[in-house]
């Protein structure tokens, strides 16, 4: 798996997941439990991971929808 997105913003994460789901790209959200443990203050970012073979297509999908991947 390869990191696609890292963000503290739950709306960006939900939008990215919906876009990927629409493209048939499987994803896995990491650090969800750590974010909950720290009290949901939003200090710890969550990471969105995709399979390495889907990464380039996932990047294009998010960038085409103006999601900043920080690259």
């Amino acid at each position: 798996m390869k990191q696609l997105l890292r963000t503290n913003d739950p709306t960006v994460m939900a939008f990215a997941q919906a876009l990927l789901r629409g493209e048939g790209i499987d994803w896995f959200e990491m650090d969800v439990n750590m974010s909950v443990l720290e009290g949901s203050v939003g200090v710890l970012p969550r990471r969105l991971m995709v399979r390495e073979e889907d990464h380039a297509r996932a990047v294009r999908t998010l960038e085409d929808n103006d999601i900043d991947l920080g690259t």
Side-chain angles (χ1 to χ4, degrees), residues 2-7 48 50 55-56 58-64 66-71:
K2 194 169 179 181
Q3 180 176 303
L4 175 65
L5 175 66
R6 182 181 184 127
T7 183
L48 191 60
V50 295
H55 189 264
V59 166
R60 280 193 308 274
T61 299
L62 297 189
E63 286 179 342
D64 286 350
D66 297 322
I67 294 180
D68 182 16
L69 301 177
T71 56

Side-chain angles (χ1 to χ4, degrees), residues 10-56:
T11 60
V12 170
M13 184 62 76
F15 183 45
Q17 291 170 351
L19 290 170
L20 295 174
R21 189 176 301 115
E23 292 294 320
I25 300 172
D26 293 327
W27 49 266
F28 182 77
E29 187 177 356
M30 295 183 69
D31 304 321
V32 176
N33 292 331
M34 290 304 295
S35 183
V36 170
L37 285 175
E38 54 88 18
S40 298
V41 179
V43 176
L44 298 175
R46 295 178 180 186
R47 295 178 289 163
L48 191 60
M49 310 295 283
V50 295
R51 287 183 290 198
E52 196 159 340
E53 58 267 21
D54 292 332
H55 189 264

